[in-house]
Amino acid sequence: QVQLQESGPGLLKPSATLSLTCAVSGASLTSSHYYWSWIRQAPGKEPEWIGHMFHSGFTSINPSLKTRSTISLDTSKDQFSLNINSVNAADTAVYFCASYNTAGSFFDYWGPGTLVTVSS
Amino acid sequence: DTQMTQSPSSLSATVGESVTITCRASQSVSNYLNWYQQKPGKAPKLLISVASNLQSGVPSRFSGRGSGTDFTLSISSLQPEDFATYYCQQSYSTPRTFGQGTRVEV
C-alpha cells in the first residue's frame, strides 16, 4: 500500500515561492509503475493537475503553470517536491501529492492534502 | 486542453434511488476516463478506471460506461455513504483534466 504525506508552509505572502514536499512510503520513487504527481484544488473547485515526474527525470507540467513550477525527486529521502514561484491569491488551494499509475493511467494513491493560503 | 463537462452539477436523491452522472469530453479521450468520489476534507478516491473498470473494494452498485466523448457513472440503490461529489478525469492527453464535479446530496 502506497502512502503519501504532504508537508510545507500553510501561509504565504504574494510573490513568495511555494515549496511543498511529499513523503512516500510503500513504493520506490524509482518504480516504473508511477509518475509522481501534484494536484491542487481551489476552494469549491475541481482538482487541477499541476504536473508529474518519472524517475528517469521526465517531467510534464501543466502549461498554465509551466513558467512558474518545478517538480523534483529525492530518492535518497523517498520524497518529491513542488516549487511554484511568484504566488498570488489564485494559488490558494489544497495541494495533493499523488501517484499516477502508468499501467492504468489513473491517480490511485493520494496524500491527505495540505492547505496553502496566499495572503498579505 | 481537453475540457471535461459534467451534468448535472448537483442532484438531490434519496437512499435506495438510482442516479446517473454524465461526463462529456471536448474531444475524444478513447476510454481513458476515470471516475473519483470525494468527500468533504478528503482526497478524491478512485472508483472506476478506463471508463468501466471497477476498482477493487468499490461496491458493485457503481458502474461506468462510454467511450470517445460521452461517459456515464451510475449508482444503483444509493447508500448513505454515497452522498459526495463525483469527478470525471481524462488521461488521454496532457494536461490531465477533471470535470467540474457533480454533488450528490440528500
Side-chain angles (χ1 to χ4, degrees):
Chain A
Q1 178 86 355
V2 180
Q3 293 187 310
L4 304 103
Q5 178 67 56
E6 306 87 353
S7 61
L11 180 63
L12 291 171
K13 294 188 183 302
S15 79
T17 295
L18 180 160
S19 295
L20 296 174
T21 297
C22 180
V24 178
S25 60
S28 170
L29 289 183
T30 61
S31 170
S32 60
H33 296 305
Y34 299 110
Y35 287 97
W36 301 102
S37 307
W38 288 98
I39 296 163
R40 69 181 183 180
Q41 187 171 28
K45 304 287 285 182
E46 69 271 22
E48 177 186 27
W49 175 78
I50 298 171
H52 59 219
M53 188 169 188
F54 195 59
H55 68 84
S56 64
F58 169 78
T59 306
S60 181
I61 305 286
N62 194 319
S64 67
L65 291 162
K66 195 165 188 175
T67 60
R68 299 193 291 135
S69 305
T70 57
I71 297 174
S72 59
L73 301 187
D74 187 339
T75 55
S76 68
K77 296 182 178 179
D78 292 327
Q79 63 187 33
F80 61 104
S81 300
L82 169 70
N83 283 339
I84 301 177
N85 58 40
S86 304
V87 297
N88 55 64
D91 294 309
T92 293
V94 175
Y95 285 74
F96 297 100
C97 57
S99 57
Y100 181 81
N101 188 297
T102 57
S105 300
F106 49 72
F107 299 101
D108 50 3
Y109 298 102
W110 298 64
T114 187
L115 175 63
V116 176
T117 302
V118 179
S119 174
S120 55
Chain B
D1 298 8
T2 300
Q3 307 301 319
M4 309 301 293
T5 303
Q6 290 181 232
S7 60
S9 295
S10 65
L11 65 88
S12 296
T14 57
V15 173
E17 196 173 338
S18 295
V19 299
T20 296
I21 298 167
T22 297
C23 176
R24 176 163 288 175
S26 60
Q27 56 192 297
S28 176
V29 298
S30 184
N31 65 340
Y32 288 90
L33 190 285
N34 306 311
W35 289 99
Y36 300 82
Q37 175 194 68
Q38 188 177 33
K39 296 183 178 180
K42 301 293 187 181
K45 172 189 173 184
L46 179 67
L47 298 177
I48 289 172
S49 64
V50 288
S52 60
N53 186 36
L54 196 68
Q55 294 304 291
S56 174
V58 176
S60 59
R61 61 181 180 272
F62 290 90
S63 63
R65 61 185 300 168
S67 66
T69 60
D70 295 313
F71 302 86
T72 59
L73 171 70
S74 296
I75 313 172
S76 63
S77 189
L78 272 169
Q79 297 301 299
E81 60 269 29
D82 299 337
F83 291 95
T85 300
Y86 294 85
Y87 294 98
C88 61
Q89 176 259 320
Q90 65 82 19
S91 289
Y92 184 76
S93 63
T94 298
R96 307 296 190 244
T97 46
F98 291 80
Q100 85 279 12
T102 296
R103 184 176 178 183
V104 177
E105 53 193 3
V106 178

